[in-house]
Amino acid sequence: MNAGKRTRLDRIGTDGRYVVVPMDHGITMGAVTGLKDIESTIDAVTRGGADAVLTQRGIAGRVHPNKNDAGYIAHLNGSTTIGPDEDDKRRTGTVEDAIRAGADAVSFHINVGSEYEREQIAGLAELTGEAERYGLPVLAMTYARGPEIDPEAEEFNQAVGHAVRLGEELGADVVKTAYTGDAETFQHVVESTSLPVVIAGGSRGTDQETLEMVRGAMDAGAAGVSMGRSIFQHGDPEKITRAVASVVHDDSEAADALRDAGLAVEA
């Protein structure tokens, strides 16, 4: 790894652990709660301890004045919930576009097992090649999603492990994927790659559920989170970010992290 890439990885994480808050959902879902006044949300989550925020590059001008020296990741593909197929992610920019937008890293989403897998594999491989030339890290969002993949199946973690390994094989530097429900099954996912693995948040649950998920992932050997809606749609994004960061960076237990952040602990 060259010095430039190593330096930029340090900008989006802390000592090899990552609390990333993705807010690229505006292209996917529109200006949902937490994204209309994205400036205030970015300020809150970075004050709460987020290492980096992630958006589509067109929002970069709204990010930089409000990110409190946190890192910035530009996401380079997307789709919408109102289009014909949300799994059909299309390229939205180049590495040079991301650099011009002030990005410290880029990210790219692929759905392993979907009918678009071939095109997305080719797209990620092309992107990592471009990014390597500039010393820019790549966060690969590698999800196991498709008609033959059942998230409720006992062997789901095998598909997720395959997805993160694919990210490494294609040259990514960090991989993001879905949590498989418990530390025992997620350990296989972490062991499937030598790269840092961070978990997605998915739809919002309770604060307790969110923190217990993060704790389970860390116990399995994960390197942190890349968690969007569970944070930016929270009633207090700063506090929930502080709680998540406490689990990731300080190895706190879920209840302790919630209490220390000033959030209610479920009985």
Side-chain angles (χ1 to χ4, degrees), residues 196-231:
V197 177
V198 298
I199 63 163
S203 300
R204 277 197 63 199
T206 67
D207 293 347
Q208 187 88 22
E209 289 169 341
T210 297
L211 270 292
E212 287 176 352
M213 178 176 68
V214 177
R215 182 68 266 167
M218 299 306 293
D219 288 343
V225 305
S226 176
M227 187 172 285
R229 286 170 288 173
S230 297
I231 290 179

Side-chain angles (χ1 to χ4, degrees), residues 52-94:
V53 295
L54 179 156
T55 73
Q56 291 282 342
R57 60 189 173 87
I59 303 295
R62 302 174 68 178
V63 174
H64 292 298
N66 301 289
K67 65 182 179 63
N68 298 305
D69 295 324
Y72 176 53
I73 304 170
H75 192 56
L76 294 182
N77 66 344
S79 61
T80 74
T81 56
I82 59 175
D85 194 334
E86 188 180 348
D87 286 345
D88 186 10
K89 304 288 183 181
R90 298 298 178 103
R91 188 80 175 257
T92 57
T94 67

Side-chain angles (χ1 to χ4, degrees), residues 157-193:
N157 69 327
Q158 302 295 313
V160 179
H162 189 167
V164 298
R165 182 53 177 258
L166 185 149
E168 179 177 8
E169 298 278 347
L170 294 178
D173 302 286
V174 182
V175 286
K176 168 184 176 176
T177 199
Y179 187 54
T180 54
D182 56 64
E184 183 178 2
T185 56
F186 200 68
Q187 186 175 352
H188 167 74
V189 177
V190 173
E191 291 174 348
S192 296
T193 176

